[in-house]
């Protein structure tokens, strides 16, 4: 039996040579050899058993909001989590959300149930799984502060529940960044009673402010991490980076830490521009900007 036929017996959907540009907010990235959608945890678990026995390279695609995929694409399997992974359940002060649910939707659900604790992270773009892996948040709070447990499927197919301590959270990172064998499937959050109307008003005002101070269009959010006690956007503005172009890529004129696809950019355009900006900041300020977007594929 061919590999494709074997996979079709295990999972809901398999596509060969799927362009990643269609699955990333930057709208760039070459083809994935195999693009596989799993319907639920059991399917994911079976797929991982197959992948590890065949020793195939693999990665999980969240909602592609923080990825820069190279123009050559991705060798091996890209796993896409299906609709069951978007479920959100509320039980008292506890919310359990699938890793593919949008974190903003989880925050809105919390507000609708008068639950506080997601005000900081609820305005950040991306999925729950991405938010956990990156420990997303703002000065109003980071997601680690409300995590009770994280359910995962391991590379070998086994299921486990991790405590907050197991997750190794710190600024914009977690164990899921270093241990790529763990796939987040759902998260249980422990929230506290709050004033739903005030929370929703807060979320709305931050979203509005963000829409005014950050560019719309094809972006991956902030390209670089903020260096300690500094702002990458400000540093890039100070070295005159705003408005710089490379092919169809541009450093946003609105916020220097956004490198956007303004006109059919390639992944290389975006990466080259990011490297030019980094070099300028390194030269003038002696600061090495670290990527916040995840670089995937060969560079
Ligand atoms: N600034 C400039 N020029 C710029 C951009 C910013 O001078 O081009 C200044 C601002 O005026 C402000 C300071 O730098 O005084 C900080 O800027 P901002 O408030 O925009 O916040 P940030 O530190 O650039 C962080 C997060 C964002 C998040 C905002 C708002 C990081 C790397 N970035 O940005 O997150 O949206 O706060 O909460 O931590 C993302 O996660 O993708 C992201 C964009």
């Amino acid at each position: 039996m061919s590999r494709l036929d074997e996979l079709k017996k295990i999972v809901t959907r398999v596509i060969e040579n799927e362009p990643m540009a269609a699955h990333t907010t930057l709208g760039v990235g070459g083809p994935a050899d195999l693009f596989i959608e799993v319907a639920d945890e059991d399917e994911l678990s079976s797929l991982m058993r197959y992948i590890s026995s065949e020793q195939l390279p693999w990665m999980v695609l969240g909602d592609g909001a923080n990825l820069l995929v190279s123009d050559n694409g991705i060798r091996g399997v890209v796993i896409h989590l299906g609709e069951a992974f978007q479920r959100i359940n509320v039980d008292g002060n506890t919310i359990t959300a699938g890793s593919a649910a949008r974190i903003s939707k989880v925050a809105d659900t919390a507000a609708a149930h008068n639950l506080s604790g997601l005000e900081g992270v609820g305005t950040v773009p991306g999925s729950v799984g991405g938010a956990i892996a990156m420990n997303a948040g703002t000065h109003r709070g980071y997601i680690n502060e409300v995590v009770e447990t994280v359910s995962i499927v391991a590379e070998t197919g086994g299921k486990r529940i991790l405590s907050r301590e197991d997750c190794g959270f710190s600024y914009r990172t977690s164990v899921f960044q270093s241990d790529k064998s763990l796939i987040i499937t759902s998260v249980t959050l422990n929230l506290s009673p709050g004033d739903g109307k005030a929370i929703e008003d807060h979320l709305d005002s931050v979203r509005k402010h963000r829409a005014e101070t950050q560019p719309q269009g094809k972006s991956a959010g902030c390209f670089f991490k903020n260096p300690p006690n500094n702002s990458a956007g400000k540093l890039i503005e100070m070295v005159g980076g705003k408005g710089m172009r490379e092919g169809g890529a541009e450093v946003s004129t609105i916020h220097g830490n956004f490198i956007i696809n303004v006109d059919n950019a390639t992944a290389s355009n975006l990466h080259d521009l990011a490297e030019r900006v980094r070099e300028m900041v390194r030269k003038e300020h002696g600061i090495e900007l670290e990527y916040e977007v995840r670089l995937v594929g060969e560079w």
Side-chain angles (χ1 to χ4, degrees), residues 172 210 214 221-222 224 226 231 233-234 237 242 255-256 292:
R172 299 222 165 205
R210 180 152 320 183
Q214 296 183 354
C222 285
F224 299 106
N226 279 340
S231 155
K234 197 154 124 189
E237 176 165 347
K242 276 180 157 180
H255 193 298
E292 173 166 295

Side-chain angles (χ1 to χ4, degrees), residues 68-143:
L68 178 56
V69 179
S70 81
D71 295 311
N72 297 332
I74 302 173
R75 304 291 71 82
V77 179
V78 171
I79 302 168
H80 183 245
L81 305 177
E83 266 176 39
F85 294 89
Q86 292 179 21
R87 286 190 196 129
I88 302 171
N89 285 308
V90 185
D91 181 8
N93 289 354
T94 299
I95 292 190
T96 300
S99 57
R102 295 190 69 77
I103 191 68
S104 56
K105 196 168 170 198
V106 182
D108 288 338
T109 306
H113 288 80
N114 293 308
L115 291 174
S116 168
L118 290 174
E119 290 84 333
V121 70
T123 52
V124 169
S127 63
V128 167
I132 291 287
M134 305 194 39
N135 189 18
T138 62
H139 63 280
R140 279 290 295 249
Y142 284 77
I143 195 162

Side-chain angles (χ1 to χ4, degrees), residues 252-273:
S252 167
T253 52
I254 299 170
H255 193 298
N257 200 6
F258 282 68
I259 298 181
I260 48 183
N261 176 1
V262 286
D263 184 16
N264 295 312
T266 62
S268 296
N269 290 158
L270 290 154
H271 188 245
D272 289 350
L273 186 54

